[in-house]
Amino acid sequence: MQSSGSVQRGGKSIRVYDFRSEKKTAKCCNLETTGLDFNRFVQLIRKEFQLRKNDVLVLTTTDRKVLTPDRFENLPDGSTIYLLKQKHQDLPCATEEQIDFTPHYNTLTKSGASVYYASEDQKSLPYALAELIDNSLSATSKNKGVRTVEIQMMFDETFGKPAVIVLDNGCGMTSKQLNNWAVYRLSKFMRENSTVASENEGYVRPDPVPRSLNSDMSYFGVGGKQAAFHIGSSVRMISKPVGSPDVHELILSKDEFERKEKNKEYVYKEVIRNRKPGDSTHVKEDERCLRPLIAEEVGKESFTAVVITGVKREHIISLKNDFNMWTRELAHIYHYYIHGVNGNDMSSCPPGSDNPSIIDIQITLREKPNKCPCAINLREVESDMQTQYINAAKDTFEFRASTGPDNGTVEGILRYHPFLYDKETYPEDPSAKQDTAEEDDLGVESGLLNKARGKRPIFECFWNGRLIPYTTVFEFDWCSQPSKGATLPPECYSRFSGVLFTDDRFEVSTNKLKFMDLEIKLRNKDTIFSTVVKGQKSAKRSNIQKEFTQWLQSCHEKYDKQVKFLGFKETITREDV
Amino acid sequence: MQSSGSVQRGGKSIRVYDFRSEKKTAKCCNLETTGLDFNRFVQLIRKEFQLRKNDVLVLTTTDRKVLTPDRFENLPDGSTIYLLKQKHQDLPCATEEQIDFTPHYNTLTKSGASVYYASEDQKSLPYALAELIDNSLSATSKNKGVRTVEIQMMFDETFGKPAVIVLDNGCGMTSKQLNNWAVYRLSKFMRENSTVASENEGYVRPDPVPRSLNSDMSYFGVGGKQAAFHIGSSVRMISKPVGSPDVHELILSKDEFERKEKNKEYVYKEVIRNRKPGDSTHVKEDERCLRPLIAEEVGKESFTAVVITGVKREHIISLKNDFNMWTRELAHIYHYYIHGVNGNDMSSCPPGSDNPSIIDIQITLREKPNKCPCAINLREVESDMQTQYINAAKDTFEFRASTGPDNGTVEGILRYHPFLYDKETYPEDPSAKQDTAEEDDLGVESGLLNKARGKRPIFECFWNGRLIPYTTVFEFDWCSQPSKGATLPPECYSRFSGVLFTDDRFEVSTNKLKFMDLEIKLRNKDTIFSTVVKGQKSAKRSNIQKEFTQWLQSCHEKYDKQVKFLGFKETITREDV
Ligand SMILES: Nc1ncnc2c1ncn2[C@@H]1O[C@H](COP(=O)(O)OP(=O)(O)OP(=O)(O)O)[C@@H](O)[C@H]1O
Ligand SMILES: Nc1ncnc2c1ncn2[C@@H]1O[C@H](COP(=O)(O)OP(=O)(O)OP(=O)(O)O)[C@@H](O)[C@H]1O
Ligand SMILES: [Mg+2]
Ligand SMILES: [Mg+2]
């Protein structure tokens, strides 16, 4: 079964080419056949092409299958058939056949499946959820007050079937925008948001901001749909745009796609429900978890709720069991949105108080009627790698890279994690099991290597302020251990971590898991690195390698506290105490 | 601009809801407005809803924008509007609004871009080409005689604009199948290949064959389109199916999509050209490289040619410059299709002579009029990793893994690469630059580790006989160096390489770059490994670890030729010779 081609919208017209003569041009007719059975159709053809009584009639499809009553019945509107002398004769001239190749609905329902499957490491869920958070951050970017994103895992079945809800207090969508939301691959760069062309506000690139925290993370027109159908089998969008009294609702569901395909209906038609806030008269019993959500609409200026149902069993299990893992991963991705440009510096309290446009990302997991829901604000997570790096750092080194003609700018920070008495303070990645396994295998020799950063790459990379989890940058020439002539102990070169911040002059993959060209651009010989002191690019053309080495030297001298016991003699048990 | 919604197919009907009363039901009319201007439309409404002279008329769109003549003109067919008392009043009852959300054509033209972008390692081209070769291998799987796939890079501009051509002598496509080819995400599992349902042959899973070389590599309904639009901006499919005298041609092109969108035409309609073989009357001058191709059609029973034009400049450059790299990569991917189940064992000549269903994958690169084209049969490539592993191996160890309830079976081979006098014979990966860079950085301590296999994973993984390049399996418990009680020198454990062969019970990602679940399934505790001796699974339940260790031991004793010079005294220059 397929959604294309054979959708019949009423009439049925068949195009017939007459190839009984060898002439280089064929007679071609469009015959209206609505209601005709095969016999009457054959009569029509005999008349139309003036066949004589004894003329044999070879009618075939364009696949050269002889037309039978059965095949005739099944011909879709607009089909082409041939009137031939012989079933296998050559075509004296070319024919043209209209086809329809509308993408199959799997485009929407299956696209997420392999996109978020992250090299078997089971982390697909946070990355799918991140797409929905991206959308909420974009939508709330112009909020006057606090920006909130609530992620509710409604797995307590006393409230109906399991649902994943993402609710934000952003600008919402008009019904036209909600329609656009549903169009796969329609990015904001090519979108009409109004029926009147002159009323369209074109896309305006946001002004540069520190760490590129511009909240602009909608790029490809796929994220929301991919994420929703990766998590479940149905998604209900509920949205109220600023300045309109109406709430708009749209449901896309796999079951409905399948039903339409079966009935040969066009699959990409749906109905948006426009209603007043608070009106839940249309909500069925098994979706009663929607009722409180809808009741709360009243009085809100604008909002968007994404309600995913048909949540896959394996996802429910891992959302429950790995709560800490996936909330930590989300806190990592949005670290600088949650904590502001300086990140989660726990020594300066209260956290986030210096952040004017505060963003609350609140997660709630409801499991059982009598069990208290797990709830966490991502700002409270302290185990994410950025929080760890920031708080284990004794000093930082800021720089900037300008890449060639496209004016790309990358902000960078290095953070020094000293050796303190008996251990390195370089943070461990709590979710990196594989690494540890490998280390164990390598046995003793690797002991030395795996101190501090070990073989891990130096830089995590953020795009428009959010982490791109699968791209890391190993190192740059100027911050790697020199092969000869080093004045510093080699270990120092593994005692710093790093972050890179780019804006959208650097491209990311459609699933936002990888950069496309970051490393290539950075390694380009025309890329210029310079130090940044107190937010100011250093005036003179600086020698980054020299300044970095000085910084490293001073870090080592100031912060590393290695106690060496030299010349051990014996252990004395003091009997006098 | 967008392809959905506003396509106007003639008439224009507008649905009007009357909300002037507070009743819970509204009067709703569909008004036929074709040809009406705004004033006449307003009159129609006044009449239809029996408005009195003095009644104020508030007409808004569903976005609550007051209808103006301009907005009225732009309303697409099927739009909904409201007749209100006040612009911002509540809706006393819900309204329903029809929308169309046909995927944007970027679905076809952009999907490849990030899919093949392989973590910045520039290898995207071979993986895109592989999708086209996959299709050709599937299409030729039932060939009686030799199976040929010809890849022609036509970059000699004296033949017209640059083109990439993939030509095979497979079963070809009927016009219905060619239509299906164009439907994004329509996989063979849900496809009608005939207009008559009863004539559809459903998908039949191929019988198990050694190394899963079943030529069945069409799975998701995306590969061909993604690959073509990743390489260029236009693709012409030319195909003649077995048993039909006609050649079918279909062109999909980005320019044409854009043109249709601009004209508000439906973008997913196209024309298939049906013609006799050899007829190139429709070919334009700048595509004259097609003429010899079309001339050669005459007499062929069936074939398919994929002709990609608008080839991106950067691709032309890297196809020219990295010819060895990408042909090696392709030879690697299809190693076992090209060389047969035992791979490219260069000691048994002539190569491939024991392979009944021989497959020729021929690559030609034409650059300049006077320059001889570069041509290579992938079978001649000797630098691909599998060829290297096979020929550097002194002994092999075969095993099989059966995974749980889904009956998955994985065939596996380990190959021993001994130490010979002064060096390991474990092959180096010619395309792995990164690795070497890292090794250098690590300096002396790593010297020991990086001998032989070093930190590379043991297993390359093949799915239905073709390499899945981004999935490797590091090791299994039973073949890793035991942490204590080892009887063999530790280096032995890094002197073997491995291959795994799976069929499609193991899933791969849509771009065929990664397995979804291979490692997880293999590490499952219910997975049973057993040794295979001479193609037979060992009868008794074997202890794989024991048998592996014995094999390793015997390999070490038989093949490792390490010469140790003990007790060096001095170098004597012999003056007597
Ligand atoms: N929570 C929301 N609030 C308001 N508008 C939204 C929201 N979520 C989605 N949208 C609108 O729907 C559009 C489509 O969303 P979707 O995530 O599918 O693609 P995208 O964000 O445009 O691109 P990407 O593939 O990068 O995510 C968005 O561009 C935005 O205009
Ligand atoms: N060279 C060819 N010869 C005959 N049929 C072909 C050829 N190439 C493609 N087809 C047909 O077109 C269909 C679509 O091809 P496409 O590569 O786009 O997707 P697919 O092969 O079905 O799935 P995948 O995404 O795994 O590649 C194929 O399933 C096959 O039926
Ligand atoms: Mg998005
Ligand atoms: Mg394919």
Side-chain angles (χ1 to χ4, degrees):
Chain A
M1 299 296 274
Q2 81 186 78
S3 62
S4 81
S6 40
V7 182
Q8 305 197 6
R9 304 170 213 248
K12 179 157 141 182
S13 148
I14 305 273
R15 165 180 289 200
V16 186
Y17 282 93
D18 179 5
F19 285 127
R20 287 167 307 150
S21 95
E22 309 269 275
K23 273 185 289 177
K24 285 271 171 185
T25 55
K27 187 178 169 192
C28 167
C29 284
N30 288 315
L31 300 180
E32 183 47 50
T33 72
T34 322
L36 292 190
D37 68 7
F38 186 55
N39 276 335
R40 306 232 325 269
F41 175 65
V42 171
Q43 281 165 28
L44 180 65
I45 289 200
R46 286 194 171 269
K47 205 179 111 206
E48 197 67 34
F49 293 93
Q50 300 167 342
L51 273 81
R52 278 162 303 172
K53 258 239 162 84
N54 292 342
D55 284 351
V56 225
L57 187 80
V58 186
L59 282 174
T60 72
T61 62
T62 51
D63 294 349
R64 300 294 183 113
K65 293 211 173 131
V66 173
L67 209 61
T68 59
D70 201 19
R71 290 197 179 116
F72 173 72
E73 286 307 323
N74 283 289
L75 285 183
D77 182 34
S79 297
T80 297
I81 64 170
Y82 299 153
L83 175 54
L84 302 171
K85 258 188 330 205
Q86 282 180 352
K87 187 183 165 190
H88 277 108
Q89 75 174 72
D90 273 354
L91 294 183
C93 68
T95 67
E96 298 203 328
E97 194 180 353
Q98 278 286 347
I99 62 157
D100 182 311
F101 58 101
T102 309
H104 191 271
Y105 66 79
N106 279 342
T107 302
L108 284 164
T109 56
K110 289 211 171 158
S111 57
S114 76
V115 155
Y116 300 110
Y117 236 98
S119 70
E120 314 192 358
D121 69 358
Q122 299 286 61
K123 273 199 219 156
S124 67
L125 259 318
Y127 302 138
L129 289 169
E131 289 286 357
L132 303 173
I133 299 176
D134 281 351
N135 287 347
S136 291
L137 292 183
S138 299
T140 56
S141 66
K142 297 200 174 117
N143 277 23
K144 296 269 154 55
V146 56
R147 302 161 63 180
T148 57
V149 186
E150 287 173 52
I151 303 180
Q152 304 174 5
M153 306 288 163
M154 310 293 270
F155 300 154
D156 175 353
E157 307 219 3
T158 52
F159 291 104
K161 56 185 174 190
V164 170
I165 302 178
V166 179
L167 172 67
D168 66 61
N169 67 347
C171 59
M173 286 178 268
T174 64
S175 68
K176 176 78 185 172
Q177 286 165 336
L178 188 52
N179 184 354
N180 286 339
W181 168 85
V183 179
Y184 191 79
R185 274 280 176 188
L186 178 66
S187 74
K188 66 182 163 206
F189 306 104
M190 35 184 17
R191 197 180 286 162
E192 283 174 6
N193 279 316
S194 160
T195 42
V196 183
S198 59
E199 287 171 13
N200 278 311
E201 338 89 50
Y203 168 71
V204 183
R205 174 184 280 268
D207 287 333
V209 288
R211 314 296 189 226
S212 299
L213 289 162
N214 53 35
S215 299
D216 192 23
M217 287 167 293
S218 283
Y219 271 77
F220 307 102
V222 304
K225 286 78 79 178
Q226 256 170 19
F229 286 106
H230 178 58
I231 298 169
S233 66
S234 174
V235 53
R236 182 192 294 251
M237 301 292 293
I238 312 179
S239 192
K240 180 180 177 304
V242 188
S244 160
D246 307 326
V247 171
H248 308 291
E249 256 192 68
L250 172 62
I251 303 175
L252 299 188
S253 103
K254 199 165 155 256
D255 291 349
E256 185 62 11
F257 283 134
E258 283 168 4
R259 188 195 63 72
K260 285 185 194 150
E261 181 178 67
K262 225 187 212 142
N263 296 344
K264 306 225 169 203
E265 288 173 42
Y266 189 70
V267 299
Y268 298 108
K269 286 215 178 297
E270 231 354 299
V271 161
I272 290 182
R273 189 179 181 89
N274 305 305
R275 57 169 177 80
K276 71 165 177 258
D279 173 1
S280 61
T281 47
H282 58 300
V283 169
K284 298 206 200 81
E285 195 48 30
D286 64 347
E287 297 170 329
R288 61 190 174 281
C289 75
L290 286 174
R291 291 196 191 129
L293 189 75
I294 292 178
E296 281 173 21
E297 290 170 1
V298 179
K300 289 187 182 172
E301 200 196 335
S302 64
F303 66 87
T304 300
V306 183
V307 182
I308 301 165
T309 49
V311 184
K312 288 169 197 152
R313 231 183 65 87
E314 71 263 31
H315 292 338
I316 297 187
I317 294 172
S318 70
L319 285 169
K320 283 183 189 173
N321 294 351
D322 311 332
F323 187 81
N324 288 338
M325 182 280 282
W326 64 263
T327 49
R328 179 175 62 230
E329 196 61 26
L330 287 178
H332 190 186
I333 297 175
Y334 299 105
H335 186 93
Y336 294 93
Y337 280 104
I338 307 166
H339 299 286
V341 280
N342 296 320
N344 187 17
D345 179 354
M346 296 192 291
S347 64
S348 79
C349 59
S353 61
D354 57 338
N355 182 1
S357 68
I358 202 154
I359 298 173
D360 274 311
I361 306 181
Q362 181 72 39
I363 319 255
T364 321
L365 172 75
R366 285 188 175 74
E367 270 190 81
K368 294 205 192 80
N370 297 323
K371 199 172 156 183
C372 216
C374 282
I376 196 168
N377 185 316
L378 288 189
R379 199 175 305 111
E380 297 159 16
V381 174
E382 297 181 349
S383 58
D384 71 284
M385 285 313 291
Q386 283 300 317
T387 298
Q388 293 200 54
Y389 286 135
I390 290 168
N391 293 287
K394 282 288 174 198
D395 204 349
T396 58
F397 177 83
E398 295 195 37
F399 61 94
R400 195 177 280 268
S402 308
T403 62
D406 56 352
N407 273 318
T409 303
V410 179
E411 292 175 83
I413 310 174
L414 289 173
R415 301 191 171 106
Y416 196 77
H417 311 293
F419 188 97
L420 283 186
Y421 305 108
D422 56 349
K423 64 170 198 303
E424 300 283 357
T425 59
Y426 199 97
E428 284 297 327
D429 182 353
S431 59
K433 290 162 249 133
Q434 180 117 26
D435 271 353
T436 0
E438 262 180 54
E439 278 172 38
D440 292 349
D441 294 334
L442 292 172
V444 192
E445 306 96 325
S446 59
L448 241 161
L449 287 177
N450 286 297
K451 257 190 208 164
R453 187 176 65 246
K455 289 202 89 174
R456 280 181 279 169
I458 297 178
F459 296 99
E460 302 199 320
C461 306
F462 289 74
W463 172 85
N464 283 358
R466 69 96 108 187
L467 181 73
I468 300 300
Y470 287 173
T471 291
T472 50
V473 170
F474 196 77
E475 65 185 359
F476 296 119
D477 288 343
W478 52 262
C479 65
S480 62
Q481 189 188 334
S483 47
K484 43 187 135 219
T487 51
L488 279 161
E491 308 91 72
C492 293
Y493 287 89
S494 87
R495 284 189 195 133
F496 51 88
S497 66
V499 208
L500 299 175
F501 297 94
T502 86
D503 63 12
D504 66 349
R505 313 248 172 195
F506 296 82
E507 277 181 83
V508 293
S509 64
T510 340
N511 54 19
K512 299 183 187 123
L513 293 176
K514 271 187 187 173
F515 275 94
M516 308 280 273
D517 50 8
L518 178 62
E519 186 135 10
I520 287 171
K521 282 192 181 170
L522 287 175
R523 293 206 183 285
N524 187 303
K525 61 178 177 6
D526 297 331
T527 298
I528 297 167
F529 287 91
S530 48
T531 6
V532 173
V533 181
K534 295 208 174 78
Q536 296 292 310
K537 232 171 100 172
S538 61
K540 59 179 191 324
R541 208 185 151 102
S542 61
N543 178 336
I544 186 133
Q545 178 151 21
K546 201 170 135 197
E547 293 180 51
F548 164 77
T549 311
Q550 282 165 3
W551 171 76
L552 198 63
Q553 173 113 36
S554 92
C555 285
H556 175 58
E557 284 164 8
K558 274 203 278 194
Y559 305 114
D560 286 329
K561 305 237 163 69
Q562 194 150 3
V563 181
K564 281 197 183 143
F565 298 93
L566 294 171
F568 169 78
K569 283 189 182 145
E570 64 180 317
T571 310
I572 299 171
T573 311
R574 288 177 57 183
E575 309 210 317
D576 54 334
V577 282
Chain B
M1 300 295 277
Q2 79 185 79
S3 60
S4 80
S6 43
V7 181
Q8 303 197 6
R9 306 170 214 247
K12 179 156 142 183
S13 148
I14 306 272
R15 164 180 289 198
V16 186
Y17 282 93
D18 179 5
F19 284 127
R20 287 165 309 149
S21 95
E22 308 270 275
K23 274 184 289 177
K24 284 274 171 185
T25 55
K27 187 178 169 193
C28 167
C29 282
N30 288 315
L31 300 182
E32 182 48 49
T33 72
T34 321
L36 292 190
D37 68 8
F38 186 56
N39 276 335
R40 304 226 335 262
F41 175 66
V42 171
Q43 282 166 27
L44 180 64
I45 289 199
R46 287 194 169 269
K47 205 181 109 205
E48 197 67 33
F49 293 93
Q50 300 168 342
L51 273 83
R52 279 164 303 175
K53 258 235 162 86
N54 293 341
D55 285 352
V56 225
L57 187 80
V58 186
L59 282 175
T60 73
T61 63
T62 52
D63 295 348
R64 299 293 184 117
K65 294 212 172 130
V66 173
L67 209 61
T68 59
D70 202 18
R71 289 199 180 115
F72 172 73
E73 287 306 324
N74 283 288
L75 285 183
D77 182 33
S79 296
T80 298
I81 64 171
Y82 299 152
L83 176 53
L84 302 170
K85 256 188 331 205
Q86 282 179 352
K87 187 183 164 190
H88 277 110
Q89 74 173 70
D90 273 354
L91 294 182
C93 68
T95 67
E96 298 202 329
E97 193 180 354
Q98 278 287 347
I99 61 156
D100 182 313
F101 58 101
T102 308
H104 191 271
Y105 67 77
N106 279 342
T107 302
L108 284 165
T109 55
K110 288 211 171 156
S111 57
S114 77
V115 154
Y116 300 109
Y117 235 99
S119 69
E120 315 190 357
D121 69 357
Q122 299 286 62
K123 273 200 218 158
S124 67
L125 259 318
Y127 302 138
L129 289 169
E131 289 286 357
L132 302 173
I133 299 177
D134 281 352
N135 287 347
S136 292
L137 292 183
S138 298
T140 55
S141 66
K142 295 200 175 119
N143 277 24
K144 296 271 153 53
V146 56
R147 301 161 64 179
T148 56
V149 186
E150 286 172 53
I151 304 181
Q152 304 174 8
M153 306 290 163
M154 309 292 271
F155 299 154
D156 175 353
E157 306 220 2
T158 51
F159 291 105
K161 55 186 174 191
V164 170
I165 302 178
V166 179
L167 172 67
D168 67 59
N169 66 348
C171 59
M173 286 178 268
T174 64
S175 68
K176 176 78 184 172
Q177 286 165 336
L178 188 53
N179 185 353
N180 286 339
W181 169 85
V183 180
Y184 193 78
R185 273 281 177 189
L186 177 67
S187 74
K188 65 182 164 207
F189 306 105
M190 35 184 16
R191 195 179 286 161
E192 283 175 6
N193 279 317
S194 160
T195 43
V196 183
S198 59
E199 288 171 12
N200 278 311
E201 338 88 50
Y203 168 70
V204 184
R205 174 185 278 269
D207 288 333
V209 288
R211 315 293 190 230
S212 299
L213 289 161
N214 53 35
S215 299
D216 192 25
M217 287 167 294
S218 282
Y219 270 77
F220 307 102
V222 305
K225 285 80 76 181
Q226 257 171 19
F229 285 107
H230 178 58
I231 298 169
S233 67
S234 173
V235 53
R236 180 192 293 252
M237 301 293 292
I238 312 179
S239 193
K240 179 181 178 301
V242 188
S244 158
D246 306 328
V247 171
H248 308 290
E249 255 191 69
L250 172 63
I251 303 175
L252 299 188
S253 102
K254 199 164 156 256
D255 291 347
E256 185 64 10
F257 283 133
E258 283 167 4
R259 188 194 62 73
K260 285 184 194 152
E261 181 178 66
K262 224 187 214 143
N263 296 345
K264 306 227 170 201
E265 289 173 43
Y266 189 70
V267 297
Y268 297 109
K269 286 214 178 299
E270 230 355 297
V271 161
I272 289 182
R273 188 179 182 90
N274 305 304
R275 58 168 177 80
K276 71 164 179 257
D279 173 2
S280 61
T281 47
H282 59 300
V283 170
K284 298 203 201 81
E285 195 49 29
D286 64 348
E287 297 170 329
R288 60 188 175 281
C289 74
L290 286 174
R291 291 198 190 128
L293 189 75
I294 293 179
E296 280 173 20
E297 291 170 2
V298 181
K300 288 187 182 171
E301 201 195 335
S302 63
F303 67 87
T304 300
V306 184
V307 182
I308 300 164
T309 49
V311 184
K312 288 169 196 147
R313 231 182 65 89
E314 71 262 33
H315 291 338
I316 296 186
I317 294 172
S318 71
L319 285 169
K320 282 182 188 173
N321 294 351
D322 312 331
F323 187 81
N324 288 338
M325 182 281 281
W326 64 264
T327 49
R328 179 175 63 230
E329 197 59 27
L330 287 177
H332 191 185
I333 297 175
Y334 298 106
H335 186 94
Y336 294 93
Y337 280 104
I338 306 167
H339 299 287
V341 280
N342 296 320
N344 187 17
D345 179 354
M346 295 192 291
S347 64
S348 79
C349 60
S353 61
D354 57 340
N355 182 2
S357 68
I358 203 155
I359 299 173
D360 274 312
I361 305 181
Q362 180 74 37
I363 320 256
T364 320
L365 172 75
R366 283 187 176 76
E367 271 191 80
K368 294 204 192 83
N370 297 322
K371 199 172 157 185
C372 216
C374 281
I376 195 168
N377 186 316
L378 287 189
R379 198 174 306 112
E380 297 159 16
V381 175
E382 296 182 350
S383 57
D384 70 284
M385 284 314 288
Q386 283 300 316
T387 297
Q388 293 200 55
Y389 285 135
I390 290 168
N391 294 286
K394 281 288 175 198
D395 205 349
T396 59
F397 177 83
E398 295 196 37
F399 61 94
R400 196 176 277 267
S402 308
T403 63
D406 57 351
N407 274 318
T409 302
V410 178
E411 294 174 81
I413 310 174
L414 290 173
R415 301 191 172 106
Y416 196 78
H417 310 294
F419 189 97
L420 282 187
Y421 305 108
D422 56 348
K423 64 170 199 305
E424 300 282 358
T425 60
Y426 200 97
E428 284 297 328
D429 183 353
S431 60
K433 289 160 252 134
Q434 179 116 29
D435 271 352
T436 359
E438 263 180 54
E439 279 173 37
D440 291 349
D441 295 333
L442 293 172
V444 193
E445 307 94 326
S446 59
L448 240 161
L449 286 177
N450 286 297
K451 257 192 208 162
R453 187 175 66 246
K455 289 201 90 176
R456 279 181 281 170
I458 297 178
F459 296 99
E460 302 199 318
C461 306
F462 289 73
W463 172 85
N464 282 0
R466 69 97 109 189
L467 181 75
I468 300 300
Y470 287 173
T471 291
T472 49
V473 171
F474 195 77
E475 65 184 359
F476 296 119
D477 287 343
W478 53 261
C479 64
S480 63
Q481 190 187 333
S483 48
K484 42 185 134 219
T487 51
L488 278 162
E491 310 91 71
C492 292
Y493 287 89
S494 88
R495 283 190 195 131
F496 51 88
S497 65
V499 208
L500 299 175
F501 297 94
T502 86
D503 63 13
D504 65 351
R505 313 247 173 197
F506 297 82
E507 276 181 82
V508 292
S509 64
T510 338
N511 55 19
K512 298 184 188 125
L513 293 176
K514 272 188 187 170
F515 275 93
M516 308 282 273
D517 51 7
L518 178 63
E519 186 134 12
I520 287 170
K521 282 192 181 170
L522 287 175
R523 293 206 183 284
N524 188 303
K525 62 178 178 4
D526 296 331
T527 297
I528 297 166
F529 286 91
S530 49
T531 9
V532 174
V533 181
K534 296 208 175 79
Q536 297 290 310
K537 231 170 99 173
S538 62
K540 56 178 193 323
R541 208 183 152 101
S542 60
N543 177 335
I544 186 132
Q545 178 151 23
K546 202 171 134 197
E547 293 180 51
F548 164 76
T549 313
Q550 281 165 3
W551 172 75
L552 197 63
Q553 172 113 37
S554 92
C555 284
H556 175 56
E557 285 165 8
K558 273 202 279 195
Y559 305 114
D560 286 331
K561 305 237 160 71
Q562 193 149 4
V563 182
K564 281 195 181 142
F565 298 92
L566 296 170
F568 169 79
K569 283 187 181 150
E570 63 181 317
T571 310
I572 300 173
T573 311
R574 287 176 57 181
E575 310 210 315
D576 53 335
V577 281

